[in-house]
Amino acid sequence: MEKRFKVSYFLNFLGVLAVFFLFVLLFENNAFGRSTQYIKGISTTACYTIIMVASLNLVVGCMGEFSLGHAGFVSVGAYASAIVSNGLTGKGLPDIALFLVALLAGGIAAGLTGVLVGIPALRLRGDYLAIVTIAFAEIIRVLFCNLSITGGGKTMSGIIKLSNFYWSFWIMVVCITVMYMYVRSRFGRTVKAIREDYIAASASGINVTYYKVLTFTVAAFFAGIGGGVYAHYMTAMIPTNFNFMYSAELLSEVIIGGIGSITGSIIGASFLSSLPEMMRQFSQYRMLAYSVVLVLVMIFKPGGIFGAWEFSLIRVYERLTGRKGGWEKSRKKTEGGV
Amino acid sequence: MTGTEGTMPVLRAQNLGIQFGGLKAVDSFNMEIGESELVGLIGPNGAGKTTVFNLITGVYKPTEGSFYLNGQSMNGKKTHQIVEAGIARTFQNIRLFKKMSVIDNVKAAMGAKLSYNLFHAVFRTPSYWKQEEELTKRAEELLQIVHLNGKEDYEAGNLPYGEQRRLEIARALATDMKLLLLDEPAAGMNPTETEELLEIINYIRDEFKISVLLIEHDMSLVMKICERISVLDFGTTIAAGTPEEIANHPKVIEAYLGKDDEEVEEDA
Ligand SMILES: Nc1ncnc2c1ncn2[C@@H]1O[C@H](COP(=O)(O)OP(=O)(O)O)[C@@H](O)[C@H]1O
Ligand SMILES: [Mg+2]
């Protein structure tokens, strides 16, 4: 069983590597001519959006709670990381180290905010989280509009351009991997049990509030990292960027991709963040298009395009070679044996 | 193991009671359950049996009285702390983690056995693999006990009714309890399934040396397997004793057995 998983991780890593080199090949050879730089930019946008959407999926899919203020955590991460990188510039740190320190700071700031929001909101049963998170994101926005360190309502500009596609890609891969491992471990199992039935979960010895707050914090942490990549890609931002519409966009990308599917979040975030970019001239219709897609998905595929399904290369491999997983085989054996 | 029977009861409930508004759902409930004892709790519908379970598992906070597990006070403890201390239960209206696999239902209740932290989970360290593998093995053993081996990967919500009830028992066993509370485990089962269930309950008692408190509607079943029985009616204990004593108790006959026909019809 362990062996099959390890083979699976290795295959998936090879797959990621292949995708990466495909992009490198395309971009370095100017495959898209004059648009290459532009497409590279869109791909970077896709990378940080994937991080944000996947992190929101931890809350919505894995934990089964609605958060309508994810942009608030993105905002905290974006500003915290920008402040840290501004403060550390010129201290002789290499760019990548500066970037990683700034991102970590953004993630930790957002994670701590997640604890503060999560403890009161997640102790309550019902849909309080949706309301509390909306309020939280609004408070953050107003707060950042009034603090001088965040630009005092004006655009905070001059953030060092540290995000490029290659780094963003690998940061995204690391974030997705960590979240995936979280979901596929005792933590994810516990949180899913709480989602299914919190009374039965506590009667099974699970500290419901603890695991909910923990998961919410992990989600906020990665939203913060996403915000950090965003800030160092945009190099200028204003608190109103992270308004309710931004939270709603992230949430609709989760729902369209598939509630509970990280694969869905990746595909959903990639397409929905890059398509409107490509159709810039129609950008005012962006939310309209989102709504239409959302309604269509709700009608024809209520669980989202991918449902809770996850892509894995080992299954492709096993199907192609006609081999049943060694795992299923060994399971059969233990059954017969006892 | 060392304590002689009777000196330290596994569970002691003292004047336990709860009021919902003006209704005294349970009033002055007293009970002692010794090591490896199988005690029955019976009474007509709405008598307060499930409420007793909810009190003992911390779902409701008692408005009066207190209860102890192995002499340790459980008052004011949260449900998960009480489970950790050693009380596990099943539910009258089945509460499984429906969308999860059968084996994950059991594993989810085994959190206390796992000590690996986030770091181990993310980097899939040897300690992660070792603990998860032991967990899987243990969960498979428990499923074997309730005759659900071979169904590990089924979605729990898709199991037939009787199997769902047995899975609930396996999940309760997974918490490593000293006292198992079963809330009408045979409800909705046919005679064959009930027979199988009784075998499982007896096996569990012998194998794990645990005490069982059983709520059951079916009088004949309770009479057959319980060593002692308490009878609730309108929240008060109207009788307690051996099956023979209960069967001949005038108050029980009046409150419970007298209405038996009516009850059966209601349930059908
Ligand atoms: N949460 C609650 N709020 C109000 N009344 C309750 C609550 N839980 C149980 N009751 C009442 O307590 C009484 C006992 O219910 P219960 O313990 O479920 O009976 P049973 O013996 O059939 O298991 C019933 O009258 C029920 O309506
Ligand atoms: Mg009941």
Side-chain angles (χ1 to χ4, degrees):
Chain A
M1 180 169 132
E2 179 182 336
K3 196 172 157 230
R4 181 178 185 260
F5 278 113
K6 283 184 172 163
V7 171
S8 165
Y9 299 153
F10 183 67
L11 282 179
N12 285 341
F13 178 72
L14 289 185
V16 168
L17 215 57
V19 169
F20 180 70
F21 282 117
L22 179 71
F23 274 112
V24 172
L25 211 68
L26 290 174
F27 291 153
E28 296 307 313
N29 292 311
N30 274 323
F32 306 102
R34 296 229 314 273
S35 323
T36 300
Q37 275 313 310
Y38 177 61
I39 291 178
K40 219 171 162 179
I42 291 174
S43 307
T44 313
T45 306
C47 286
Y48 63 69
T49 312
I50 289 172
I51 301 174
M52 296 172 193
V53 172
S55 71
L56 180 57
N57 207 347
L58 283 186
V59 179
V60 177
C62 195
M63 193 156 82
E65 298 260 355
F66 266 86
S67 167
L68 287 168
H70 213 54
F73 297 110
V74 173
S75 177
V76 170
Y79 278 95
S81 68
I83 290 165
V84 166
S85 71
N86 276 350
L88 289 178
T89 321
K91 296 261 157 60
L93 276 175
D95 272 5
I96 184 69
L98 182 62
F99 193 26
L100 292 180
V101 168
L103 289 183
L104 208 59
I108 290 170
L112 288 176
T113 325
V115 177
L116 292 181
V117 176
I119 288 177
L122 293 165
R123 289 168 73 105
L124 306 165
R125 317 265 171 240
D127 296 324
Y128 294 97
L129 190 70
I131 297 157
V132 171
T133 47
I134 293 178
F136 154 74
E138 286 303 296
I139 291 167
I140 287 291
R141 188 172 59 78
V142 172
L143 186 72
F144 285 1
C145 279
N146 288 287
L147 287 178
S148 58
I149 195 166
T150 52
K154 289 198 277 297
T155 305
M156 180 180 185
S157 57
I159 305 165
I160 330 155
K161 180 120 185 163
L162 291 171
S163 300
N164 61 36
F165 172 70
Y166 299 136
W167 288 358
S168 303
F169 181 87
W170 286 110
I171 288 163
M172 180 269 288
V173 168
V174 169
C175 290
I176 292 292
T177 308
V178 172
M179 283 187 258
Y180 183 84
M181 294 305 188
Y182 181 85
V183 173
R184 298 290 178 100
S185 71
R186 75 183 175 102
F187 299 99
R189 192 161 53 224
T190 305
V191 173
K192 282 180 195 159
I194 295 170
R195 174 194 70 195
E196 292 298 303
D197 192 321
Y198 73 87
I199 291 178
S202 61
S204 302
I206 293 170
N207 185 343
V208 171
T209 309
Y210 173 82
Y211 280 98
K212 278 173 124 178
V213 173
L214 178 69
T215 305
F216 193 66
T217 305
V218 170
F221 174 83
F222 284 109
I225 302 256
V229 178
Y230 172 100
H232 293 86
Y233 171 69
M234 291 295 190
T235 70
M237 59 193 176
I238 188 162
T240 44
N241 287 354
F242 309 101
N243 56 10
F244 179 71
M245 287 320 257
Y246 199 85
S247 295
E249 249 173 66
L250 294 176
L251 185 61
S252 48
E253 283 163 25
V254 168
I255 295 171
I256 291 167
I259 297 172
S261 162
I262 290 180
T263 308
S265 290
I266 294 172
I267 306 291
S270 311
F271 278 96
L272 292 170
S273 67
S274 48
L275 278 183
E277 282 298 327
M278 292 177 185
M279 300 185 289
R280 255 283 166 242
Q281 58 271 47
F282 309 115
S283 65
Q284 68 266 43
Y285 300 118
R286 181 189 177 119
M287 282 320 284
L288 186 69
Y290 267 60
S291 323
V292 172
V293 175
L294 201 56
V295 169
L296 288 178
V297 167
M298 288 288 101
I299 293 172
F300 294 108
K301 206 128 191 334
I305 292 169
F306 287 91
W309 181 83
E310 296 289 6
F311 174 77
S312 178
L313 275 175
I314 195 159
R315 268 181 263 133
V316 178
Y317 169 77
E318 282 168 0
R319 184 155 304 171
L320 287 179
T321 56
R323 266 176 47 168
K324 264 273 182 228
W327 179 58
E328 269 103 342
K329 261 190 203 157
S330 70
R331 183 174 285 268
K332 280 266 148 43
K333 236 178 251 162
T334 49
E335 269 169 42
V338 207
Chain B
M1 268 199 287
T2 46
T4 31
E5 233 187 82
T7 48
M8 173 78 83
V10 173
L11 176 85
R12 195 174 74 206
Q14 251 176 355
N15 295 322
L16 213 52
I18 188 166
Q19 229 172 329
F20 297 114
L23 174 83
K24 273 199 165 161
V26 172
D27 191 23
S28 305
F29 181 78
N30 287 292
M31 179 171 268
E32 282 199 3
I33 302 178
E35 235 172 81
S36 301
E37 240 190 327
L38 204 170
V39 179
L41 183 60
I42 61 173
N45 255 331
K49 305 180 296 292
T50 300
T51 306
V52 168
F53 274 20
N54 284 334
L55 287 172
I56 299 177
T57 52
V59 176
Y60 298 150
K61 298 272 162 281
T63 45
E64 50 166 320
S66 45
F67 66 108
Y68 305 83
L69 182 72
N70 286 328
Q72 191 191 351
S73 172
M74 293 287 124
N75 276 35
K77 289 222 155 95
K78 297 207 174 72
T79 303
H80 69 92
Q81 292 169 322
I82 292 174
V83 176
E84 249 167 63
I87 303 181
R89 72 177 288 184
T90 64
F91 294 89
Q92 182 177 355
N93 44 347
I94 303 170
R95 283 177 173 274
L96 285 173
F97 309 131
K98 286 200 187 73
K99 291 240 176 71
M100 291 167 67
S101 68
V102 166
I103 196 160
D104 273 356
N105 266 264
V106 179
K107 284 183 182 177
M110 294 170 120
K113 285 204 184 55
L114 295 170
S115 59
Y116 69 78
N117 55 26
L118 275 176
F119 174 87
H120 293 288
V122 167
F123 291 97
R124 301 274 131 132
T125 61
S127 131
Y128 164 88
W129 291 112
K130 190 164 164 273
Q131 290 190 24
E132 281 289 331
E133 199 178 315
E134 278 167 10
L135 196 75
T136 306
K137 237 170 90 190
R138 182 77 189 125
E140 282 171 348
E141 281 167 20
L142 291 174
L143 287 173
Q144 178 103 27
I145 289 173
V146 298
H147 306 166
L148 283 174
N149 41 321
K151 302 225 163 172
E152 285 86 354
D153 297 326
Y154 284 48
E155 204 174 277
N158 290 341
L159 290 181
Y161 194 76
E163 293 186 356
Q164 292 199 10
R165 288 221 175 270
R166 296 208 302 268
L167 178 54
E168 268 213 333
I169 295 178
R171 185 179 66 185
L173 289 179
T175 63
D176 253 352
M177 79 277 98
K178 302 181 185 92
L179 173 66
L180 177 62
L181 311 176
L182 299 173
D183 199 344
E184 304 207 16
M189 284 187 174
N190 63 36
T192 334
E193 286 175 320
T194 308
E195 202 52 48
E196 188 182 3
L197 178 78
L198 290 186
E199 264 170 43
I200 290 172
I201 294 175
N202 278 327
Y203 177 82
I204 290 168
R205 269 182 76 203
D206 293 344
E207 184 71 20
F208 296 87
K209 308 269 181 289
I210 55 165
S211 318
V212 179
L213 178 57
L214 175 78
I215 292 179
E216 189 44 67
H217 225 86
D218 182 351
M219 274 292 266
S220 62
L221 193 157
V222 177
M223 294 287 169
K224 201 156 71 186
I225 65 167
C226 294
E227 282 135 20
R228 285 190 298 120
I229 296 170
S230 283
V231 189
L232 277 183
D233 194 21
F234 294 112
T236 45
T237 312
I238 54 169
T242 62
E244 298 78 50
E245 286 166 355
I246 295 301
N248 302 316
H249 202 290
K251 269 191 182 167
V252 177
I253 294 166
E254 184 193 321
Y256 191 97
L257 300 180
K259 293 194 290 184
D260 206 27
D261 293 349
E262 185 188 316
E263 291 288 337
V264 169
E265 264 170 45
E266 231 172 75
D267 271 1

